[in-house]
Amino acid sequence: MSTTIVTTPSGRAFISDNMAGASPQIAQAVVDAATGQVLPYGNDPYSDSARRRLGEIFERDVDVFPVSTGSAANGLSLAALTPPWGSVLSHPDSHINHDECGAPEFFTGGAKLVDVAGHETKIDPALLKKAVLRRAGDVHSVQPSVLSISQATESGSVYTLDEIRHLSAIAKDAGLRVHMDGARFANALAHLGATPAEMTWKAGIDLLSFGATKNGAMTADVIVSFDPAIAAELAFRVKRAGQLASKMRFHTAQIDAYLTDGLWLDNARQANAMAARLGDGLKAIPETGLLAVPQANIVFCRLPQHVTDGLLAEGYAFYHDRWEPGIVRFVTAFSHSADDIDQLLDAVRRHTR
Amino acid sequence: MSTTIVTTPSGRAFISDNMAGASPQIAQAVVDAATGQVLPYGNDPYSDSARRRLGEIFERDVDVFPVSTGSAANGLSLAALTPPWGSVLSHPDSHINHDECGAPEFFTGGAKLVDVAGHETKIDPALLKKAVLRRAGDVHSVQPSVLSISQATESGSVYTLDEIRHLSAIAKDAGLRVHMDGARFANALAHLGATPAEMTWKAGIDLLSFGATKNGAMTADVIVSFDPAIAAELAFRVKRAGQLASKMRFHTAQIDAYLTDGLWLDNARQANAMAARLGDGLKAIPETGLLAVPQANIVFCRLPQHVTDGLLAEGYAFYHDRWEPGIVRFVTAFSHSADDIDQLLDAVRRHTR
Amino acid sequence: MSTTIVTTPSGRAFISDNMAGASPQIAQAVVDAATGQVLPYGNDPYSDSARRRLGEIFERDVDVFPVSTGSAANGLSLAALTPPWGSVLSHPDSHINHDECGAPEFFTGGAKLVDVAGHETKIDPALLKKAVLRRAGDVHSVQPSVLSISQATESGSVYTLDEIRHLSAIAKDAGLRVHMDGARFANALAHLGATPAEMTWKAGIDLLSFGATKNGAMTADVIVSFDPAIAAELAFRVKRAGQLASKMRFHTAQIDAYLTDGLWLDNARQANAMAARLGDGLKAIPETGLLAVPQANIVFCRLPQHVTDGLLAEGYAFYHDRWEPGIVRFVTAFSHSADDIDQLLDAVRRHTR
Amino acid sequence: MSTTIVTTPSGRAFISDNMAGASPQIAQAVVDAATGQVLPYGNDPYSDSARRRLGEIFERDVDVFPVSTGSAANGLSLAALTPPWGSVLSHPDSHINHDECGAPEFFTGGAKLVDVAGHETKIDPALLKKAVLRRAGDVHSVQPSVLSISQATESGSVYTLDEIRHLSAIAKDAGLRVHMDGARFANALAHLGATPAEMTWKAGIDLLSFGATKNGAMTADVIVSFDPAIAAELAFRVKRAGQLASKMRFHTAQIDAYLTDGLWLDNARQANAMAARLGDGLKAIPETGLLAVPQANIVFCRLPQHVTDGLLAEGYAFYHDRWEPGIVRFVTAFSHSADDIDQLLDAVRRHTR
């Protein structure tokens, strides 16, 4: 771990939603879970309740595997869906392809990630149609085995239900399985106003990386499986990968609280609303250029360099040197308030003058 | 996850120390860490403080990698110390060999665990001397690469400092590296009254799985490296394995509180004292037979079947059918009180009559 | 590769049957295959003929994968039969466990080899019955997945058909698959006088490493699959492991000639007869002690040290320092003649005086 | 293996150079090696001679590992040069990326192949300069670790010595190692008229996949290492991957004969000359279009569909449906004669009319 410590004035960090803390209800749930003796490895009331709630929101039986990170959720899910000689079709800018140091390759035993491009970080159906058939049956080539889509995407766009169904159908018709990287699942759901069932298994998703950490939890993501046939395999994979927590109650208590009284959707709506507020504000500032109307909680825009410099000087934190010059990214979190956004907009306006 | 939920009356669970909750100070630390924005992946004040404290207790610079489970700590450590064609020498009853579903094989890319037996779950130096040389340089055989010792061992025995130094020297002389599985590190340390430095790098340990979860933390174990040369490699391995927590503050705040004001040693002393109290009490009951004087927090003894049955009927939980008939195991935790132990002893006495 | 070159006078090498050359018919077949253009990767007349012959000797459809070594045949076979979290049950002295530098662990992605002991290097059925059930369904443990038996064994003993059927039945009843390491398949078959079908699929074998190299071929072993369901998987595994020869005709021409006019069985009978002749001769020499009546082409016996020294001084080559003092091993090959054996026996007699 | 058998009239197959048989000298060498007893695993006179000859042609000590396929040579070489979290930089059309069913990912334990494009299937130095630095040191990304170049390339172009030196220098400056896929090494060498040393270690190559199979051998490729530090590691990797032949003499006798009296270069010159003759002839036929002047033994050109159809009808075999419509590929081999080429050209002329 690097020892560079950066602290920003509260509310001025927009680098990622993982800079936020945790919802008070989730912190309290962890404290409440800290007393008493229960069985380890998920055989406890907290885990039972979390499982029940997940079954409720997805309106069906699901198999549930709490893990400590989104990368673990993705890697383990993909490993259950592809043989080592398979290929995983994903967008070139997907987190699994770009930001996990080869975790999918590690978990799958060396499967290959194959790019399928598309606008707005969404996979193009026409390209997918070709990719799913690429050298199928040819022993000299890896075999298309899984489609992995991110919902919301890494740029903050959100697939419509029709788009998910369409991509899934293309994959399924060619015999592939479908994985959803839902690190920002709640943000996408809140944007669409859809049900969890509609956005997943009813649309063809086999395995979901259900993210909670970015949206108010601490360290708890969950693999949700809609295919009972792979549950046994996943249980072994999870244990073998060092992802079966002994005191699992501390993971599942987070999930349980996250799903109680709609906290998860409230948090996502707040984060999305803050992105929308920021987007609206930026649109009204002539010197800035919004790249797309925010759908989830990510805002990409153009800022003049002196504006960027001015914001950084005031302690604002955001990515500004990862893309072509002038492009910056703001990620809002459940913990951002309207005040935080308004102050940011004020600062942008001040520096644009 | 199984859905069997077992709850026992408070204090009557002796299956494992992972049935305990968390120390209140650790729960509070997590709550305190829940507010405010900080950088992810360990670049935050909580992680910085935990790293500083670990450096202090080990009296030197160390590299620190928080992970979510002991299996991950072990597997990642071993992967950094052996090539895939190496062998890991450990006791046949070691956790890595027996209880991790092949996690070391997974993380190392297929290294082989080779048994080196010995009494009291401790590796026999004479057998180790042979094992470290076994077919060294022979391309047809896996190559002895790492010695892994558990401190305290899986049966609750504790290596003396001299024993650790002796085993390490045998390994080092043959060119092997040395790993310590310290899932119950604090319990061993409390028993020996040694310093963390004496029990690790001063005795030849290269990498330590520093356990906190079983001794009052929630979900936080740590890889502590005494070899700067492998820190870079470990950073990539940790990320690639989905063990680099984005909101790492929630792991490191646990570690930080664990190491504050001697909480970790107080907890371990309490667990050990409860095991000793239980051992003393059982010794005084003629019908039972203590297998060994407890050193850490594990008590193995013989119980007549009707005593075992009676205890189970009262809600006591402990392993009783894993070894030869009549052998049972009680694991005490920091959360057990003298009252809990005395009530258990009363119950044993009642049923022996 | 070491640069130590040892050449022994013709016929005096008994270290292993891999010191023999190749049958003239096989050498001729390779020469005959060297002209003309054919499709690569097995789509050629030589491969077709070899496949047809294998189908004939096994009296059924089989899937055939020529590979370059027995270790590759074993590793690929096991990979097709166990998940990475599975265990492979084999004798502690098996080649896969002992002499392949972890090849099974490499090919399987980290499965665990679990010893099941037994006399004469044969697996004990009573021990197997326990092993196949060991922690089945327990997520903390590797899962018994494959039984692998060597026929003939590494010490030259041969399982009877009843023994194979019994072991296979135990494995199958518990849901395991069965692999046979047939590096010396022909020698075992010749000893039993059984049919290839009786010794394999009719006795419960799923996958066979069909060895030819040790018995007169050059570089050609074959995976023979009796389970059509795993043929597709094996094709990808073979290619991905660099074992799909482009000019496969040069592998399959060897196999084709090997199976023509009973060459393979003639060779095996010759090697076995030479071992029997050597065994008979040694029995008649009072100072030597035969450890077992040779069944295949391996002879274990006791020799006084001065006899061993005398033989070595005359250029005889054999293993003499791998087991307890005084134990030596002679491996006969198809290329040994009765004269070779009689001269060896003469030499033993000379040195015992 | 598919059972489709295609035989073409002798000399009319241009699908790949792996459709050729073997040079008579190599076939004879294998026959000569078939008698007598020698030590296994390369400790034999044939292997010693092959090693000596390789040392001679490369003008230095080299470590030599014979393997059965080019995919094995490539995969094992890359595994010795990159950690699992590394990336291998290669051209998108490289064999390792495209035609080995993920063998590099298998052998390396999940490293990632990253494309670096360029004209004529050669890596563009400007793109390479960016690629070698991509996210170096960023724990969230795979780390650039190896540059792999194909000489000759998959399209038959040949890097100049300056080009190799330039690419190597870029890689080395950034701390990467350099691998050369020399499946058609001799063809490239013959084209350049350079020495083996100049084209490899003097130009910065660390490990070479030295191909012989396509150029007159049967089943023998060789890993040639110019870095003594990785020889020990490679020996274990080779064994563990089932690539250490017990009767290695049958591999190395091929290599030995291949390198005797310049056979390897004669064969390559013949194949190259036939490609040049074909290219010259096609240039003179107005209806066809040569895509590039052939440098090695591959000719890409445009043919009208009716010409392609006509050639196929006469038994000519070549790839014609793998690229955009109208593009066909002819690969010449050492076994093609000037007559074969002239007949092909006659046929093209006939059909173009």
Side-chain angles (χ1 to χ4, degrees):
Chain A
M1 297 189 301
S2 150
T3 55
T4 312
I5 305 297
V6 171
T7 49
T8 57
S10 188
R12 295 197 184 177
F14 293 92
I15 289 178
S16 173
D17 30 11
N18 60 26
M19 293 188 67
S23 288
Q25 300 94 317
I26 288 174
Q28 187 58 46
V30 167
V31 171
D32 293 346
T35 52
Q37 292 184 299
V38 300
L39 279 177
Y41 301 116
N43 300 306
D44 65 81
Y46 308 94
S47 301
D48 200 47
S49 181
R51 278 189 293 266
R52 195 174 49 242
R53 286 189 198 280
L54 283 161
E56 284 167 9
I57 68 164
F58 285 106
E59 304 171 42
R60 55 168 283 176
D61 283 345
V62 291
D63 291 297
V64 171
F65 303 91
V67 293
S68 64
T69 67
S71 291
N74 288 338
L76 288 163
S77 294
L78 294 174
L81 296 177
T82 178
W85 57 89
S87 62
V88 177
L89 310 183
S90 73
H91 195 277
D93 293 336
S94 66
H95 200 266
I96 58 172
N97 189 40
H98 205 257
D99 288 304
E100 300 188 348
C101 193
E105 289 87 346
F106 172 62
F107 283 100
T108 59
K112 198 179 190 81
L113 270 68
V114 169
D115 294 349
V116 187
H119 294 300
E120 300 181 340
T121 333
K122 294 184 188 177
I123 288 174
D124 182 309
L127 295 177
L128 181 64
K129 267 181 200 162
K130 287 181 192 165
V132 295
L133 299 175
R134 193 163 173 275
R135 301 182 69 178
D138 175 354
V139 79
H140 298 271
S141 173
V142 291
Q143 297 295 298
S145 298
V146 199
L147 165 67
S148 179
I149 60 177
S150 301
Q151 178 77 328
T153 73
E154 289 70 15
S155 70
S157 60
V158 176
Y159 286 100
T160 65
L161 294 185
D162 274 348
E163 286 173 334
I164 299 172
R165 288 182 204 120
H166 188 194
L167 293 175
S168 287
I170 293 168
K172 291 288 171 74
D173 284 353
L176 283 74
R177 314 298 303 277
V178 188
H179 166 251
M180 178 178 279
D181 177 355
R184 296 190 178 95
F185 186 84
N187 301 283
L189 201 70
H191 171 71
L192 291 182
T195 69
E198 287 169 341
M199 203 166 83
T200 56
W201 61 274
K202 289 185 174 174
I205 305 299
D206 295 299
L207 267 181
L208 167 68
S209 297
F210 180 82
T213 300
K214 286 181 191 290
N215 189 39
M218 297 170 166
T219 55
D221 288 349
V222 180
I223 302 169
V224 177
S225 169
F226 304 110
D227 179 354
I230 52 178
E233 170 175 347
L234 266 167
F236 290 108
R237 289 194 182 274
V238 164
K239 170 66 193 177
R240 181 173 173 81
Q243 285 286 350
L244 183 65
S246 58
K247 294 184 174 174
M248 193 184 283
R249 59 167 124 172
F250 293 112
H251 280 186
T252 45
Q254 294 177 55
I255 299 299
D256 196 46
Y258 182 66
L259 298 177
T260 299
D261 296 336
L263 173 63
W264 67 305
L265 292 173
D266 290 345
N267 278 359
R269 283 186 204 111
Q270 174 66 13
N272 288 4
M274 293 306 97
R277 187 181 193 98
L278 178 57
D280 287 345
L282 289 169
K283 261 194 294 190
I285 304 172
E287 293 83 353
T288 71
L290 203 59
L291 265 64
V293 174
Q295 298 187 306
N297 61 324
I298 300 179
V299 179
F300 271 92
C301 70
R302 295 182 188 279
L303 286 189
Q305 186 61 43
H306 66 278
V307 177
T308 294
D309 293 342
L311 293 174
L312 295 172
E314 290 187 35
Y316 279 100
F318 52 96
Y319 281 140
H320 54 89
D321 52 5
R322 298 213 154 185
W323 305 277
E324 52 178 292
I327 303 290
V328 305
R329 186 187 84 169
F330 297 98
V331 184
T332 57
F334 73 95
S335 61
H336 281 116
S337 65
D339 258 14
D340 293 335
I341 303 304
D342 293 346
Q343 287 178 24
L344 169 57
L345 288 167
D346 281 347
V348 173
R349 273 182 223 110
R350 247 187 293 117
H351 291 293
T352 50
R353 268 161 219 154
Chain B
M1 298 188 300
S2 150
T3 54
T4 311
I5 306 297
V6 171
T7 49
T8 58
S10 186
R12 295 195 184 179
F14 292 91
I15 289 177
S16 173
D17 29 12
N18 60 27
M19 293 188 66
S23 288
Q25 299 95 317
I26 289 174
Q28 187 59 45
V30 167
V31 171
D32 293 345
T35 50
Q37 290 184 299
V38 300
L39 279 177
Y41 302 117
N43 300 306
D44 65 82
Y46 309 95
S47 300
D48 200 46
S49 181
R51 278 191 294 266
R52 195 172 49 241
R53 287 188 199 280
L54 282 162
E56 284 166 11
I57 69 164
F58 285 106
E59 305 171 40
R60 56 167 283 175
D61 283 346
V62 290
D63 291 298
V64 171
F65 303 91
V67 293
S68 65
T69 68
S71 292
N74 288 338
L76 287 164
S77 293
L78 294 173
L81 296 177
T82 179
W85 56 90
S87 62
V88 178
L89 310 183
S90 73
H91 195 277
D93 293 338
S94 66
H95 199 265
I96 57 172
N97 189 40
H98 205 257
D99 288 304
E100 299 187 349
C101 194
E105 288 87 346
F106 172 61
F107 283 101
T108 60
K112 197 180 189 79
L113 271 69
V114 168
D115 293 350
V116 186
H119 294 299
E120 298 182 340
T121 331
K122 293 183 189 177
I123 288 174
D124 183 308
L127 295 176
L128 182 63
K129 268 181 199 162
K130 287 181 193 165
V132 294
L133 300 175
R134 193 161 173 276
R135 300 182 69 179
D138 176 355
V139 79
H140 298 271
S141 173
V142 290
Q143 297 295 297
S145 298
V146 200
L147 165 67
S148 179
I149 60 177
S150 302
Q151 177 78 327
T153 74
E154 288 71 16
S155 70
S157 59
V158 176
Y159 287 100
T160 65
L161 295 185
D162 274 348
E163 287 173 334
I164 299 173
R165 288 182 204 122
H166 189 194
L167 294 175
S168 287
I170 294 167
K172 291 289 172 74
D173 283 353
L176 283 74
R177 314 298 304 276
V178 188
H179 166 251
M180 178 178 278
D181 177 355
R184 294 189 179 97
F185 185 84
N187 301 283
L189 200 71
H191 172 72
L192 291 181
T195 68
E198 286 169 341
M199 204 166 84
T200 55
W201 60 276
K202 288 185 174 174
I205 304 300
D206 295 301
L207 267 181
L208 167 68
S209 297
F210 180 82
T213 301
K214 286 180 190 292
N215 190 39
M218 297 171 166
T219 55
D221 288 350
V222 181
I223 300 171
V224 178
S225 169
F226 304 110
D227 179 356
I230 51 179
E233 169 174 347
L234 266 167
F236 289 108
R237 288 194 182 274
V238 164
K239 170 65 193 177
R240 182 172 170 82
Q243 284 287 349
L244 182 66
S246 58
K247 294 185 174 174
M248 193 185 283
R249 58 169 125 171
F250 293 111
H251 280 185
T252 45
Q254 295 177 55
I255 299 299
D256 196 45
Y258 182 66
L259 297 177
T260 299
D261 296 336
L263 174 63
W264 67 305
L265 291 173
D266 289 347
N267 278 0
R269 283 187 204 110
Q270 174 66 13
N272 288 5
M274 294 305 96
R277 187 181 192 100
L278 178 57
D280 288 344
L282 289 169
K283 262 195 296 191
I285 303 172
E287 292 84 352
T288 70
L290 203 60
L291 266 63
V293 175
Q295 298 187 304
N297 61 324
I298 299 180
V299 180
F300 271 94
C301 72
R302 292 182 189 281
L303 286 190
Q305 186 62 43
H306 66 277
V307 177
T308 295
D309 293 342
L311 293 174
L312 295 171
E314 290 186 36
Y316 280 100
F318 53 96
Y319 281 141
H320 55 87
D321 52 4
R322 297 211 154 187
W323 305 277
E324 51 177 293
I327 303 290
V328 305
R329 186 187 84 169
F330 297 98
V331 183
T332 57
F334 73 94
S335 60
H336 282 116
S337 65
D339 257 15
D340 292 336
I341 303 303
D342 293 345
Q343 286 179 23
L344 168 57
L345 287 167
D346 280 348
V348 173
R349 274 183 222 109
R350 249 187 291 118
H351 291 294
T352 52
R353 267 162 221 152
Chain C
M1 298 189 301
S2 151
T3 55
T4 311
I5 305 296
V6 171
T7 50
T8 58
S10 186
R12 296 196 184 177
F14 294 91
I15 288 178
S16 174
D17 30 12
N18 59 28
M19 293 187 66
S23 289
Q25 301 93 317
I26 289 174
Q28 188 57 48
V30 167
V31 171
D32 292 346
T35 51
Q37 291 185 300
V38 300
L39 278 178
Y41 302 116
N43 301 306
D44 64 82
Y46 309 94
S47 301
D48 201 44
S49 181
R51 277 190 294 266
R52 193 173 51 243
R53 287 190 198 279
L54 283 162
E56 283 166 11
I57 69 164
F58 285 106
E59 305 171 40
R60 55 167 286 175
D61 284 345
V62 291
D63 291 297
V64 171
F65 303 91
V67 293
S68 64
T69 68
S71 292
N74 288 338
L76 288 164
S77 294
L78 294 174
L81 295 177
T82 178
W85 57 91
S87 62
V88 178
L89 309 183
S90 74
H91 195 277
D93 293 337
S94 65
H95 200 266
I96 57 171
N97 189 40
H98 205 257
D99 289 304
E100 300 187 348
C101 194
E105 289 87 344
F106 172 61
F107 283 101
T108 60
K112 196 180 191 81
L113 271 68
V114 169
D115 293 350
V116 187
H119 295 300
E120 299 181 340
T121 331
K122 293 184 189 177
I123 287 173
D124 182 309
L127 295 177
L128 181 63
K129 268 181 200 164
K130 287 181 192 165
V132 295
L133 299 174
R134 192 163 174 276
R135 300 182 69 179
D138 176 355
V139 79
H140 298 270
S141 173
V142 290
Q143 297 296 296
S145 298
V146 199
L147 166 67
S148 178
I149 61 177
S150 302
Q151 176 77 326
T153 74
E154 288 72 15
S155 70
S157 59
V158 176
Y159 287 99
T160 66
L161 294 185
D162 274 348
E163 286 172 336
I164 299 172
R165 289 181 203 120
H166 188 192
L167 294 175
S168 287
I170 293 168
K172 292 288 172 75
D173 284 352
L176 282 74
R177 315 297 303 275
V178 188
H179 166 251
M180 178 177 280
D181 177 356
R184 296 189 177 96
F185 185 83
N187 301 285
L189 200 71
H191 171 71
L192 291 182
T195 69
E198 285 169 342
M199 203 167 82
T200 56
W201 61 276
K202 288 185 174 174
I205 306 299
D206 296 299
L207 267 181
L208 167 68
S209 298
F210 180 82
T213 300
K214 286 179 191 291
N215 189 40
M218 297 171 166
T219 54
D221 288 349
V222 180
I223 301 170
V224 177
S225 170
F226 305 109
D227 179 356
I230 52 180
E233 169 174 347
L234 266 167
F236 289 108
R237 288 193 183 275
V238 165
K239 169 65 194 176
R240 181 174 172 81
Q243 285 287 350
L244 182 67
S246 58
K247 293 185 174 174
M248 193 185 282
R249 57 169 124 169
F250 293 111
H251 280 186
T252 46
Q254 294 177 55
I255 299 299
D256 196 45
Y258 182 67
L259 298 177
T260 299
D261 296 336
L263 173 62
W264 66 304
L265 292 173
D266 290 346
N267 278 359
R269 283 187 204 108
Q270 174 67 12
N272 288 4
M274 293 305 97
R277 188 181 191 95
L278 178 57
D280 288 344
L282 289 169
K283 261 194 295 191
I285 304 172
E287 294 83 353
T288 70
L290 202 61
L291 265 64
V293 175
Q295 299 187 305
N297 61 325
I298 300 179
V299 179
F300 272 94
C301 72
R302 293 182 188 280
L303 285 189
Q305 185 63 40
H306 66 278
V307 177
T308 294
D309 293 343
L311 293 173
L312 295 171
E314 289 187 36
Y316 280 99
F318 52 96
Y319 281 140
H320 54 88
D321 53 3
R322 297 212 155 187
W323 304 276
E324 52 178 292
I327 302 290
V328 306
R329 187 187 83 169
F330 297 97
V331 184
T332 57
F334 73 95
S335 60
H336 282 116
S337 66
D339 258 14
D340 292 335
I341 302 303
D342 293 345
Q343 286 179 24
L344 168 57
L345 287 167
D346 280 347
V348 173
R349 275 184 221 108
R350 250 188 291 116
H351 291 293
T352 51
R353 268 162 219 153
Chain D
M1 297 191 300
S2 151
T3 55
T4 311
I5 306 295
V6 170
T7 50
T8 57
S10 187
R12 296 198 183 175
F14 294 91
I15 289 178
S16 173
D17 28 13
N18 60 26
M19 293 187 66
S23 288
Q25 300 95 316
I26 288 174
Q28 188 58 46
V30 166
V31 171
D32 292 346
T35 51
Q37 291 185 300
V38 300
L39 279 178
Y41 302 117
N43 301 306
D44 65 82
Y46 310 94
S47 301
D48 201 46
S49 181
R51 277 190 294 267
R52 195 173 49 243
R53 287 189 199 279
L54 283 162
E56 283 165 11
I57 69 164
F58 285 107
E59 306 171 40
R60 54 167 287 177
D61 284 345
V62 292
D63 292 297
V64 171
F65 303 91
V67 294
S68 65
T69 67
S71 292
N74 289 338
L76 288 164
S77 294
L78 295 174
L81 296 178
T82 178
W85 56 91
S87 61
V88 178
L89 309 183
S90 74
H91 195 278
D93 293 338
S94 66
H95 199 266
I96 57 171
N97 189 41
H98 206 258
D99 288 304
E100 300 187 349
C101 193
E105 288 87 345
F106 172 61
F107 283 101
T108 59
K112 196 179 189 83
L113 271 68
V114 169
D115 294 350
V116 186
H119 295 299
E120 298 181 343
T121 332
K122 294 184 189 178
I123 288 174
D124 182 309
L127 294 178
L128 182 63
K129 267 181 200 163
K130 286 182 193 165
V132 295
L133 299 175
R134 194 163 173 274
R135 299 181 71 178
D138 176 354
V139 80
H140 298 271
S141 173
V142 291
Q143 297 295 297
S145 297
V146 199
L147 166 67
S148 179
I149 60 178
S150 302
Q151 176 78 325
T153 74
E154 289 71 15
S155 70
S157 58
V158 176
Y159 286 100
T160 66
L161 294 186
D162 274 348
E163 286 172 337
I164 298 173
R165 289 182 203 121
H166 189 193
L167 293 176
S168 287
I170 293 168
K172 291 288 172 75
D173 285 351
L176 282 74
R177 313 299 302 277
V178 187
H179 166 251
M180 178 179 279
D181 177 356
R184 295 190 178 96
F185 185 84
N187 301 284
L189 200 70
H191 172 71
L192 291 182
T195 69
E198 285 170 342
M199 204 167 82
T200 56
W201 60 276
K202 288 185 174 174
I205 305 300
D206 295 300
L207 268 181
L208 167 68
S209 298
F210 180 82
T213 300
K214 287 179 190 292
N215 189 40
M218 297 170 166
T219 55
D221 289 348
V222 181
I223 301 170
V224 178
S225 170
F226 305 109
D227 178 356
I230 52 179
E233 170 174 346
L234 266 166
F236 289 108
R237 288 194 183 276
V238 164
K239 170 65 193 177
R240 181 174 173 81
Q243 285 287 349
L244 182 67
S246 58
K247 293 185 175 174
M248 193 185 281
R249 56 170 125 170
F250 293 111
H251 279 187
T252 46
Q254 294 177 55
I255 300 299
D256 196 45
Y258 182 65
L259 298 177
T260 299
D261 295 335
L263 173 62
W264 67 304
L265 291 173
D266 289 346
N267 278 359
R269 283 186 204 109
Q270 173 67 12
N272 288 4
M274 293 306 97
R277 188 182 192 97
L278 178 56
D280 288 345
L282 289 169
K283 261 194 295 190
I285 304 172
E287 293 84 351
T288 70
L290 202 60
L291 267 62
V293 175
Q295 299 188 304
N297 62 323
I298 301 179
V299 179
F300 270 94
C301 71
R302 295 182 188 280
L303 286 189
Q305 185 61 43
H306 67 277
V307 177
T308 294
D309 293 343
L311 293 174
L312 295 171
E314 290 187 36
Y316 280 99
F318 53 94
Y319 281 140
H320 55 88
D321 53 3
R322 297 211 154 187
W323 305 276
E324 50 178 294
I327 303 290
V328 307
R329 186 187 84 169
F330 297 98
V331 183
T332 57
F334 72 95
S335 60
H336 281 115
S337 65
D339 258 15
D340 292 336
I341 302 303
D342 293 346
Q343 287 179 25
L344 169 57
L345 287 167
D346 280 349
V348 173
R349 275 183 221 107
R350 248 188 291 116
H351 292 293
T352 51
R353 268 162 221 152

